[in-house]
């Protein structure tokens, strides 16, 4: 083992995991990642740092594998980012979502308690836990009212982290992150769906874009900014939970307008509403108050909504022009 700080990241092949891995490598960490054994696993997002990482095979559904991974790498910091990350899919796979995002967090905490109880643990909580919001904006003290199986599972993961912190005196905390996007977002997410389509239409690779509720609003930030907040939470003297957000909301309609403006197109000529993309239950006015993170962590978002959308469109223009297969995009 090296003398450098060691971090273990679950979900390292995802958007947040890849940005966090790059951040920790820049800070001199020995970075370990946990990946599921899969014939279709893609390391596309890790292409710039893959050789600097140590990857281990493990699964949030398999308790023993988690303990084995932790014994092997002896991490000082554990970031549990692995989950069923797409809210809409949680309606089709509610039980699997609960196993990964809820019970999976418990398995991670239990493995940490057994093998590396002195480590520091970060749980990826979500603004989807607020769901049908009971106050605007939402803070760390706002009650949860999740409106999807994903939100319910994340609420379980959040409270079990609190429970282990208080019951076993572990350094365990949660980041209640509001929507955060990037060029590495999966194509199923509405932000990437829009920027990828705008680029594709501009390059004459497609003609239109079908969306659901154009009036849905979200507090959208840049994932690269948000992983810094994760790291900062584990550098504090005491473990606490933090809302991470921009404090601004924008509608899907605004997202479309900025993306299409960037490529000089008019949305009304290409965008249509398709009822298939409407959710059974839509969340209300999600907007986060990150005052506590600003005050205690010294964290604030650096990238504006418009800058984020434009950099995503620009990235998709480059991606599509390069001919990279769409399934590997991101």
């Amino acid at each position: 083992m090296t003398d450098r700080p060691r971090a273990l990241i679950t979900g390292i092949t995802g958007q947040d995991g890849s940005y966090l891995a790059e951040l920790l490598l820049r800070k001199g960490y020995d970075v370990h990642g946990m990946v599921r054994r899969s014939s279709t696993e893609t390391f596309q997002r890790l292409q710039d740092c893959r050789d600097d990482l140590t990857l281990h095979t493990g699964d949030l559904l398999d308790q023993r594998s988690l303990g084995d991974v932790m014994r092997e790498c002896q991490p000082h910091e554990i970031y549990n980012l692995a989950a069923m990350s797409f809210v809409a899919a949680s309606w089709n796979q509610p039980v699997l979502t609960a196993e990964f995002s809820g019970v999976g967090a418990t398995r991670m905490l239990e493995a940490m308690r057994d093998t590396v109880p002195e480590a520091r643990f970060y749980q990826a909580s979500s603004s989807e836990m607020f769901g049908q919001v009971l106050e605007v904006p939402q803070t760390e003290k706002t009650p949860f009212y999740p409106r999807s199986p994903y939100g319910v599972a994340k609420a379980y993961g959040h409270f079990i982290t609190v429970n282990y912190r208080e019951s076993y005196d572990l350094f365990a905390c949660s980041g209640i992150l509001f929507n955060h996007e990037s060029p590495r977002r999966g194509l199923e997410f509405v932000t990437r769906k829009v920027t990828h389509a705008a680029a594709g239409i501009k390059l004459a690779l497609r003609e239109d874009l079908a969306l659901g509720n154009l009036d849905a609003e979200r507090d959208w930030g840049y994932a690269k900014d948000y992983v810094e907040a994760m790291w900062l939470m584990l550098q504090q003297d005491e473990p606490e939970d933090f809302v991470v957000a921009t404090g601004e909301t924008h509608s899907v309609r605004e997202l479309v307008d900025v993306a299409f403006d960037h490529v000089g197109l008019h949305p009304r000529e290409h965008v249509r509403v398709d009822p298939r993309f409407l959710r059974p239950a839509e969340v209300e006015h999600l907007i986060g108050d990150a005052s506590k993170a600003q005050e205690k962590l010294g964290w604030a978002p650096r990238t504006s909504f418009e800058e984020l959308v434009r950099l995503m469109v620009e990235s998709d223009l480059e991606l599509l022009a390069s001919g990279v297969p769409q399934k590997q995009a991101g």
Side-chain angles (χ1 to χ4, degrees), residues 72-330:
E72 200 171 328
C73 66
Q74 293 290 309
H76 301 109
E77 297 175 4
I78 299 167
Y79 297 86
N80 185 36
L81 309 186
M84 298 280 285
S85 62
F86 187 42
V87 177
S90 74
W91 295 101
N92 298 325
Q93 296 180 298
V95 177
L96 189 60
T97 298
E99 281 285 351
F100 269 119
S101 303
V103 184
T106 316
R107 294 190 187 100
M108 284 292 293
L109 286 159
E110 191 65 10
M112 170 181 154
R113 189 168 75 91
D114 284 344
T115 58
V116 282
E118 300 305 312
R120 297 186 165 203
F121 182 87
Y122 172 86
Q123 167 65 13
S125 288
S126 167
S127 60
E128 289 288 330
M129 301 185 304
F130 294 121
Q132 186 170 319
V133 300
L134 300 178
E135 64 180 11
V136 178
Q138 294 87 54
T139 72
E140 294 79 6
K141 296 180 179 177
T142 303
F144 299 147
Y145 194 145
R147 296 270 282 170
S148 67
Y150 173 88
V152 173
K154 280 292 189 181
Y156 180 96
H158 180 87
F159 279 124
I160 202 68
T161 302
V162 173
N163 189 257
Y164 268 65
R165 175 170 73 216
E166 295 178 351
S167 301
Y168 302 116
D169 197 28
L170 298 178
F171 193 110
C173 61
S174 293
I176 306 172
L177 271 59
F178 280 65
N179 294 63
H180 45 290
E181 317 297 319
S182 76
R184 298 181 188 177
R185 239 330 180 193
L187 290 167
E188 69 273 22
F189 289 85
V190 69
T191 45
R192 185 74 196 292
K193 187 177 179 181
V194 168
T195 62
H196 195 263
I201 294 168
K202 178 64 177 179
L203 296 173
L205 298 174
R206 58 188 291 178
E207 294 181 355
D208 65 356
L209 167 64
L211 293 171
N213 181 9
L214 294 180
D215 296 317
E217 293 188 340
R218 293 291 184 276
D219 183 331
W220 276 304
Y222 185 21
K224 200 171 183 179
D225 294 346
Y226 283 35
V227 297
E228 292 184 11
M230 299 178 187
W231 176 76
L232 286 166
M233 285 180 217
L234 296 197
Q235 312 314 309
Q236 305 306 301
D237 293 335
E238 298 293 332
E240 294 186 67
D241 306 323
F242 291 89
V243 163
V244 179
T246 69
E248 298 178 4
T249 57
H250 297 275
S251 66
V252 175
R253 196 181 305 277
E254 288 177 79
L255 166 67
V256 169
D257 287 344
V258 173
F260 279 73
D261 176 73
H262 190 74
V263 292
L265 297 173
H266 293 293
R268 64 176 175 273
E269 296 173 9
H270 303 281
V271 179
R272 58 187 172 82
V273 173
D274 187 329
R276 288 180 304 156
F277 297 119
L278 298 174
R279 289 186 187 175
E282 181 62 81
V283 299
E284 309 294 333
H285 197 50
L286 282 180
I287 176 168
D289 178 353
S291 300
K292 180 181 174 184
Q294 190 156 3
E295 180 187 327
K296 293 198 171 186
L297 305 178
W299 179 88
R302 291 196 296 269
T303 310
S304 73
F305 171 74
E306 186 162 322
E307 288 170 339
L308 169 63
V309 177
R310 291 184 186 279
L311 73 85
M312 289 177 66
V313 175
E314 201 56 41
S315 173
D316 276 325
L317 283 168
E318 291 178 24
L319 180 78
L320 289 170
S322 73
V324 174
Q326 182 166 309
K327 66 180 179 180
Q328 293 183 17

